[in-house]
Amino acid sequence: MKKVARLMPVEGGKSESSPRQLPRPLDKVQQRATELLGKYLSGMLDGADDRLFDLAESAADGERDRYFDAMRELRVKRAGLEAGFRQALHNSFRALASERGNGVLDNQDIDIDSLALVNEDEVETGVAIDNMARRVRGPCEQQLRIFNHRLEYLFEGRREFGERHNPLEPRQVAECFRECVDKLEMDIRSALIVFKLFERMVLSEIGFVVSEANQCLVDAGILPDLKAPPIRPARPSAAARPAAGAASVAEPADGAQMFGLLQELLSALRLPGGGTGLALPEGMPVAPAGDGPTNIAVMHNGVPVVNGAPLAPGTQVTPVNSSELMGMLNRLQRLESSIEARENLDQPEDVDVRAGLSTLLESELGGDSVHALEQADDDVINLVSMLFDFILDDQGLATEVKALISRLQIPLLKVAISDKRFFSNDDHPARQLLNTLARAGAQWSPAQGLDDDLYQQIEQAVFRILNDYEEDVSLFATLLAEFGEFFQRQTQHTERVEARLREVEEGRARADSARLAVAEVLDARMAGRPLPGLAVRLLRQAWQQVLYLTCLREGDQSENWARDVKVVDAVVWSVLPHREQAALERLKALSPKLLNSLKSGLERISYDALETRDLLGGLQQLHQQLLQGLETAREMVAPEKPRIEESVAPVPVAADRALPADHPQVRALRGLRPGQWVEFSDGDTAQRCRLAANLRSGDKMVFINRRGIKVCEHSAMSLAVALQDGAAKLIEEGALFDRALEAVIGDLRRLQRTPQP
């Protein structure tokens, strides 16, 4: 039997020699990361029944059983799943000890003929994993790059670390989980549900795991002063890099595998023989019989077919090969860059490629013959049309941005016809450019106007492609570098402003929390008691500042905080009336020690020296009076109401509008990470804002616009209410092309399973 090569990221083969030991700092990273990720997985499995049941409640009737099947399988196989995940993480770290890479094709014999044997489910699962990894990677990309650089330093530059070799990359962690899920008895739809749960409950925490990993390396002295990743030299595009060894076989093989899967899914939608096949839902780009241009056919098993029906015998048919099709698409593309096209930039264009080709053929060659496309080219046209249908329906882009991106359909169709790896190669410059333009466009809102520099840069990139691209794909790489540099500058500016604002807001929140903690300590020991005025002044005015600074700098769990609180206890006890001889003896011994502690603490914060001398001298006299049995004047101490700045107070929500505190959406928003984009609507106007700071787990969330200007504040509760009312929506910033491809594959699989009427 031929070997089956699985072209997805997997663990590298075992070395023939005995495995080397990991460097000691990296061993600590592995232990910490495995501990955290294992804990998150346990938490996911603890709540899996409830979450899957909630999802089942909102699912269609035909899908509910899948949720229940997944629930049952996770419950039965839980122990093996947890142990397998920890072991897979352990193995991925141990692979770093090998001098050889742990690439996909290491120690595998590639047999191109065997690629057709790869399970389609594996490809669909791989697409889903790629997309969830991208969604999670964005917020922690800088931490990952810093960690990669520290790894390279640790290995003395002998290895380059990136998405395929860093065991803490979201893609690699997801692959570790995939190894375990593959052993469960569930179909692809149920497995995808489990992956969705894994993304929400485990993979979304990878940012904290990576920050902990960086801290482990910092503690070990590995580049402790590194604050930002160094800029790497630009690497040549995939097309320009020389292929070597197995890798030269892998890329075309992987491209053929993905395109073959897509063709097989599309085959169920074709209507050979004039009427057999699946009935398509409205909106699908594959035309049913009797619809569409009649002068364009598709060669199906050697038979020309027009709109699902074979041509009548004797009809004149002119074959159109890929090269000729590219020439016609070039002419259609030039129409997109015309003056008329530029005048209608505010509305997305639903490009009908077949209709455009039909009109072009009729005007140039007349309508006497039928022109037949190759089946592969027709499939590419269908797939790209489906992808752009998804893009035009995407709610994450403003209409004006979708109007620009929609004009890239023909150029990207040309790319896909000339290079089928376009559907499988994540590093393809055309795919990366589309994703980058969409990511930038998701940050633009109509309120900024069409003269905004971001919109102008997107427009310039689109029309440079329409004007200049014919066959040389390097144009996409050039534009990716140029636009990427512009967008990176804007992003870095926003992040710097965001970091400063977050630092200010978090500082205010910490100060507020410290004031509350100090007030709570003092009120618990003083409020409602008759105490000498001097003692009240000492604690409320002087020692309060000691407590505040200790709490602010070291927290209320530190040893110094506990020591300073004990001083409060000692002062309060020392000024109470004492009648018993034992208490008086204790006061006599305590007084000098207490005065020294107070003096030391006040000097530590540079408290006014004269005021310190007066307060401590007064306390010493007070102790002498108590030791002599003299009465002292006292006052009833009232509770203190600490000053809470309005800027750090929780954002209120009307009682009749509030959701339950444990509402799933409220809980999810409490953990919303800075960097998330949200669109807020007010009537006919909409503005996109970025979460700059999330204080006290959602009590206060500060939003800024793209220029770093503070726009509004919300709490997790008020944002959840706005989301439910439609006044706000979360913007999906994941790779647009990859989300579209995942959606198209899912739609085709569902249509393939739909029974014929």
PDB file of all heavy atoms in Angstrom, residues 306-330:
ATOM      1  N   VAL A 306     -23.848  23.578 -21.615  1.00  0.00           N
ATOM      2  CA  VAL A 306     -24.252  24.964 -21.394  1.00  0.00           C
ATOM      3  C   VAL A 306     -25.359  24.986 -20.350  1.00  0.00           C
ATOM      4  O   VAL A 306     -26.417  24.385 -20.554  1.00  0.00           O
ATOM      5  CB  VAL A 306     -24.741  25.629 -22.700  1.00  0.00           C
ATOM      6  CG1 VAL A 306     -25.288  27.033 -22.399  1.00  0.00           C
ATOM      7  CG2 VAL A 306     -23.613  25.722 -23.710  1.00  0.00           C
ATOM      8  N   ASN A 307     -25.105  25.647 -19.245  1.00  0.00           N
ATOM      9  CA  ASN A 307     -26.103  25.757 -18.168  1.00  0.00           C
ATOM     10  C   ASN A 307     -26.658  24.394 -17.754  1.00  0.00           C
ATOM     11  O   ASN A 307     -27.844  24.232 -17.500  1.00  0.00           O
ATOM     12  CB  ASN A 307     -27.242  26.679 -18.593  1.00  0.00           C
ATOM     13  CG  ASN A 307     -26.769  28.083 -18.867  1.00  0.00           C
ATOM     14  OD1 ASN A 307     -25.869  28.582 -18.187  1.00  0.00           O
ATOM     15  ND2 ASN A 307     -27.335  28.720 -19.876  1.00  0.00           N
ATOM     16  N   GLY A 308     -25.775  23.388 -17.697  1.00  0.00           N
ATOM     17  CA  GLY A 308     -26.166  22.072 -17.221  1.00  0.00           C
ATOM     18  C   GLY A 308     -26.708  21.158 -18.289  1.00  0.00           C
ATOM     19  O   GLY A 308     -26.975  19.986 -18.016  1.00  0.00           O
ATOM     20  N   ALA A 309     -26.893  21.642 -19.519  1.00  0.00           N
ATOM     21  CA  ALA A 309     -27.463  20.810 -20.587  1.00  0.00           C
ATOM     22  C   ALA A 309     -26.439  20.648 -21.704  1.00  0.00           C
ATOM     23  O   ALA A 309     -25.810  21.632 -22.124  1.00  0.00           O
ATOM     24  CB  ALA A 309     -28.732  21.456 -21.133  1.00  0.00           C
ATOM     25  N   PRO A 310     -26.249  19.400 -22.215  1.00  0.00           N
ATOM     26  CA  PRO A 310     -25.306  19.203 -23.314  1.00  0.00           C
ATOM     27  C   PRO A 310     -25.780  19.930 -24.574  1.00  0.00           C
ATOM     28  O   PRO A 310     -26.985  20.072 -24.805  1.00  0.00           O
ATOM     29  CB  PRO A 310     -25.276  17.690 -23.511  1.00  0.00           C
ATOM     30  CG  PRO A 310     -26.363  17.131 -22.688  1.00  0.00           C
ATOM     31  CD  PRO A 310     -26.892  18.174 -21.778  1.00  0.00           C
ATOM     32  N   LEU A 311     -24.809  20.384 -25.368  1.00  0.00           N
ATOM     33  CA  LEU A 311     -25.150  21.078 -26.607  1.00  0.00           C
ATOM     34  C   LEU A 311     -25.735  20.114 -27.629  1.00  0.00           C
ATOM     35  O   LEU A 311     -25.430  18.908 -27.636  1.00  0.00           O
ATOM     36  CB  LEU A 311     -23.904  21.745 -27.187  1.00  0.00           C
ATOM     37  CG  LEU A 311     -23.386  22.985 -26.454  1.00  0.00           C
ATOM     38  CD1 LEU A 311     -22.081  23.448 -27.087  1.00  0.00           C
ATOM     39  CD2 LEU A 311     -24.415  24.098 -26.493  1.00  0.00           C
ATOM     40  N   ALA A 312     -26.541  20.670 -28.473  1.00  0.00           N
ATOM     41  CA  ALA A 312     -27.117  19.856 -29.549  1.00  0.00           C
ATOM     42  C   ALA A 312     -26.016  19.435 -30.510  1.00  0.00           C
ATOM     43  O   ALA A 312     -25.057  20.185 -30.746  1.00  0.00           O
ATOM     44  CB  ALA A 312     -28.186  20.654 -30.285  1.00  0.00           C
ATOM     45  N   PRO A 313     -26.127  18.226 -31.077  1.00  0.00           N
ATOM     46  CA  PRO A 313     -25.107  17.760 -32.036  1.00  0.00           C
ATOM     47  C   PRO A 313     -24.984  18.744 -33.203  1.00  0.00           C
ATOM     48  O   PRO A 313     -25.975  19.304 -33.680  1.00  0.00           O
ATOM     49  CB  PRO A 313     -25.651  16.402 -32.498  1.00  0.00           C
ATOM     50  CG  PRO A 313     -26.566  15.971 -31.395  1.00  0.00           C
ATOM     51  CD  PRO A 313     -27.166  17.213 -30.841  1.00  0.00           C
ATOM     52  N   GLY A 314     -23.760  18.945 -33.650  1.00  0.00           N
ATOM     53  CA  GLY A 314     -23.508  19.830 -34.776  1.00  0.00           C
ATOM     54  C   GLY A 314     -23.251  21.266 -34.406  1.00  0.00           C
ATOM     55  O   GLY A 314     -22.891  22.071 -35.279  1.00  0.00           O
ATOM     56  N   THR A 315     -23.432  21.617 -33.127  1.00  0.00           N
ATOM     57  CA  THR A 315     -23.176  22.991 -32.711  1.00  0.00           C
ATOM     58  C   THR A 315     -21.681  23.283 -32.801  1.00  0.00           C
ATOM     59  O   THR A 315     -20.856  22.482 -32.363  1.00  0.00           O
ATOM     60  CB  THR A 315     -23.655  23.223 -31.274  1.00  0.00           C
ATOM     61  OG1 THR A 315     -25.040  22.888 -31.176  1.00  0.00           O
ATOM     62  CG2 THR A 315     -23.461  24.673 -30.867  1.00  0.00           C
ATOM     63  N   GLN A 316     -21.331  24.427 -33.394  1.00  0.00           N
ATOM     64  CA  GLN A 316     -19.925  24.799 -33.515  1.00  0.00           C
ATOM     65  C   GLN A 316     -19.381  25.207 -32.146  1.00  0.00           C
ATOM     66  O   GLN A 316     -19.931  26.100 -31.500  1.00  0.00           O
ATOM     67  CB  GLN A 316     -19.774  25.952 -34.505  1.00  0.00           C
ATOM     68  CG  GLN A 316     -18.320  26.365 -34.724  1.00  0.00           C
ATOM     69  CD  GLN A 316     -18.200  27.508 -35.721  1.00  0.00           C
ATOM     70  OE1 GLN A 316     -19.186  27.895 -36.346  1.00  0.00           O
ATOM     71  NE2 GLN A 316     -16.989  28.027 -35.871  1.00  0.00           N
ATOM     72  N   VAL A 317     -18.326  24.532 -31.695  1.00  0.00           N
ATOM     73  CA  VAL A 317     -17.734  24.778 -30.381  1.00  0.00           C
ATOM     74  C   VAL A 317     -16.278  25.182 -30.554  1.00  0.00           C
ATOM     75  O   VAL A 317     -15.519  24.497 -31.248  1.00  0.00           O
ATOM     76  CB  VAL A 317     -17.833  23.532 -29.478  1.00  0.00           C
ATOM     77  CG1 VAL A 317     -17.144  23.797 -28.140  1.00  0.00           C
ATOM     78  CG2 VAL A 317     -19.284  23.131 -29.266  1.00  0.00           C
ATOM     79  N   THR A 318     -15.911  26.304 -29.916  1.00  0.00           N
ATOM     80  CA  THR A 318     -14.518  26.768 -29.942  1.00  0.00           C
ATOM     81  C   THR A 318     -13.922  26.628 -28.545  1.00  0.00           C
ATOM     82  O   THR A 318     -14.395  27.289 -27.609  1.00  0.00           O
ATOM     83  CB  THR A 318     -14.443  28.239 -30.374  1.00  0.00           C
ATOM     84  OG1 THR A 318     -15.053  28.379 -31.658  1.00  0.00           O
ATOM     85  CG2 THR A 318     -12.999  28.714 -30.427  1.00  0.00           C
ATOM     86  N   PRO A 319     -12.921  25.743 -28.366  1.00  0.00           N
ATOM     87  CA  PRO A 319     -12.317  25.601 -27.027  1.00  0.00           C
ATOM     88  C   PRO A 319     -11.605  26.892 -26.606  1.00  0.00           C
ATOM     89  O   PRO A 319     -11.024  27.595 -27.437  1.00  0.00           O
ATOM     90  CB  PRO A 319     -11.320  24.452 -27.205  1.00  0.00           C
ATOM     91  CG  PRO A 319     -11.704  23.776 -28.482  1.00  0.00           C
ATOM     92  CD  PRO A 319     -12.317  24.833 -29.345  1.00  0.00           C
ATOM     93  N   VAL A 320     -11.662  27.180 -25.320  1.00  0.00           N
ATOM     94  CA  VAL A 320     -10.965  28.323 -24.741  1.00  0.00           C
ATOM     95  C   VAL A 320     -10.024  27.789 -23.665  1.00  0.00           C
ATOM     96  O   VAL A 320     -10.475  27.288 -22.633  1.00  0.00           O
ATOM     97  CB  VAL A 320     -11.949  29.345 -24.126  1.00  0.00           C
ATOM     98  CG1 VAL A 320     -11.172  30.496 -23.486  1.00  0.00           C
ATOM     99  CG2 VAL A 320     -12.906  29.873 -25.178  1.00  0.00           C
ATOM    100  N   ASN A 321      -8.720  27.842 -23.935  1.00  0.00           N
ATOM    101  CA  ASN A 321      -7.782  27.341 -22.935  1.00  0.00           C
ATOM    102  C   ASN A 321      -7.500  28.417 -21.880  1.00  0.00           C
ATOM    103  O   ASN A 321      -7.972  29.557 -21.984  1.00  0.00           O
ATOM    104  CB  ASN A 321      -6.490  26.849 -23.590  1.00  0.00           C
ATOM    105  CG  ASN A 321      -5.777  27.954 -24.364  1.00  0.00           C
ATOM    106  OD1 ASN A 321      -5.842  29.134 -23.992  1.00  0.00           O
ATOM    107  ND2 ASN A 321      -5.088  27.567 -25.445  1.00  0.00           N
ATOM    108  N   SER A 322      -6.696  28.052 -20.895  1.00  0.00           N
ATOM    109  CA  SER A 322      -6.447  28.966 -19.773  1.00  0.00           C
ATOM    110  C   SER A 322      -5.766  30.246 -20.237  1.00  0.00           C
ATOM    111  O   SER A 322      -6.068  31.343 -19.743  1.00  0.00           O
ATOM    112  CB  SER A 322      -5.596  28.277 -18.705  1.00  0.00           C
ATOM    113  OG  SER A 322      -6.289  27.185 -18.148  1.00  0.00           O
ATOM    114  N   SER A 323      -4.845  30.135 -21.198  1.00  0.00           N
ATOM    115  CA  SER A 323      -4.130  31.317 -21.673  1.00  0.00           C
ATOM    116  C   SER A 323      -5.084  32.289 -22.352  1.00  0.00           C
ATOM    117  O   SER A 323      -5.026  33.513 -22.131  1.00  0.00           O
ATOM    118  CB  SER A 323      -3.013  30.889 -22.632  1.00  0.00           C
ATOM    119  OG  SER A 323      -2.349  32.021 -23.141  1.00  0.00           O
ATOM    120  N   GLU A 324      -5.987  31.758 -23.179  1.00  0.00           N
ATOM    121  CA  GLU A 324      -6.959  32.619 -23.856  1.00  0.00           C
ATOM    122  C   GLU A 324      -7.930  33.235 -22.849  1.00  0.00           C
ATOM    123  O   GLU A 324      -8.330  34.403 -22.976  1.00  0.00           O
ATOM    124  CB  GLU A 324      -7.719  31.811 -24.909  1.00  0.00           C
ATOM    125  CG  GLU A 324      -6.834  31.369 -26.069  1.00  0.00           C
ATOM    126  CD  GLU A 324      -7.507  30.330 -26.940  1.00  0.00           C
ATOM    127  OE1 GLU A 324      -8.342  29.549 -26.418  1.00  0.00           O
ATOM    128  OE2 GLU A 324      -7.195  30.280 -28.139  1.00  0.00           O
ATOM    129  N   LEU A 325      -8.327  32.448 -21.849  1.00  0.00           N
ATOM    130  CA  LEU A 325      -9.214  32.974 -20.816  1.00  0.00           C
ATOM    131  C   LEU A 325      -8.537  34.117 -20.063  1.00  0.00           C
ATOM    132  O   LEU A 325      -9.179  35.133 -19.748  1.00  0.00           O
ATOM    133  CB  LEU A 325      -9.607  31.854 -19.845  1.00  0.00           C
ATOM    134  CG  LEU A 325     -10.471  32.256 -18.652  1.00  0.00           C
ATOM    135  CD1 LEU A 325     -11.792  32.871 -19.105  1.00  0.00           C
ATOM    136  CD2 LEU A 325     -10.732  31.047 -17.741  1.00  0.00           C
ATOM    137  N   MET A 326      -7.242  33.972 -19.779  1.00  0.00           N
ATOM    138  CA  MET A 326      -6.520  35.039 -19.079  1.00  0.00           C
ATOM    139  C   MET A 326      -6.525  36.324 -19.904  1.00  0.00           C
ATOM    140  O   MET A 326      -6.665  37.429 -19.373  1.00  0.00           O
ATOM    141  CB  MET A 326      -5.083  34.603 -18.802  1.00  0.00           C
ATOM    142  CG  MET A 326      -4.961  33.515 -17.736  1.00  0.00           C
ATOM    143  SD  MET A 326      -5.198  34.143 -16.071  1.00  0.00           S
ATOM    144  CE  MET A 326      -3.636  34.968 -15.808  1.00  0.00           C
ATOM    145  N   GLY A 327      -6.390  36.192 -21.219  1.00  0.00           N
ATOM    146  CA  GLY A 327      -6.423  37.372 -22.071  1.00  0.00           C
ATOM    147  C   GLY A 327      -7.763  38.082 -21.998  1.00  0.00           C
ATOM    148  O   GLY A 327      -7.827  39.321 -21.932  1.00  0.00           O
ATOM    149  N   MET A 328      -8.853  37.317 -22.005  1.00  0.00           N
ATOM    150  CA  MET A 328     -10.180  37.930 -21.902  1.00  0.00           C
ATOM    151  C   MET A 328     -10.381  38.570 -20.536  1.00  0.00           C
ATOM    152  O   MET A 328     -10.979  39.652 -20.420  1.00  0.00           O
ATOM    153  CB  MET A 328     -11.256  36.877 -22.173  1.00  0.00           C
ATOM    154  CG  MET A 328     -11.326  36.449 -23.634  1.00  0.00           C
ATOM    155  SD  MET A 328     -12.736  35.383 -23.974  1.00  0.00           S
ATOM    156  CE  MET A 328     -12.180  33.841 -23.254  1.00  0.00           C
ATOM    157  N   LEU A 329      -9.894  37.923 -19.487  1.00  0.00           N
ATOM    158  CA  LEU A 329     -10.022  38.495 -18.147  1.00  0.00           C
ATOM    159  C   LEU A 329      -9.216  39.781 -18.022  1.00  0.00           C
ATOM    160  O   LEU A 329      -9.620  40.709 -17.302  1.00  0.00           O
ATOM    161  CB  LEU A 329      -9.575  37.472 -17.093  1.00  0.00           C
ATOM    162  CG  LEU A 329     -10.486  36.253 -16.916  1.00  0.00           C
ATOM    163  CD1 LEU A 329      -9.862  35.248 -15.942  1.00  0.00           C
ATOM    164  CD2 LEU A 329     -11.869  36.676 -16.404  1.00  0.00           C
ATOM    165  N   ASN A 330      -8.078  39.860 -18.736  1.00  0.00           N
ATOM    166  CA  ASN A 330      -7.310  41.107 -18.729  1.00  0.00           C
ATOM    167  C   ASN A 330      -8.135  42.253 -19.296  1.00  0.00           C
ATOM    168  O   ASN A 330      -8.103  43.378 -18.784  1.00  0.00           O
ATOM    169  CB  ASN A 330      -6.019  40.945 -19.542  1.00  0.00           C
ATOM    170  CG  ASN A 330      -4.929  40.221 -18.762  1.00  0.00           C
ATOM    171  OD1 ASN A 330      -4.899  40.259 -17.536  1.00  0.00           O
ATOM    172  ND2 ASN A 330      -4.035  39.552 -19.478  1.00  0.00           N
TER     173      ASN A 330
END
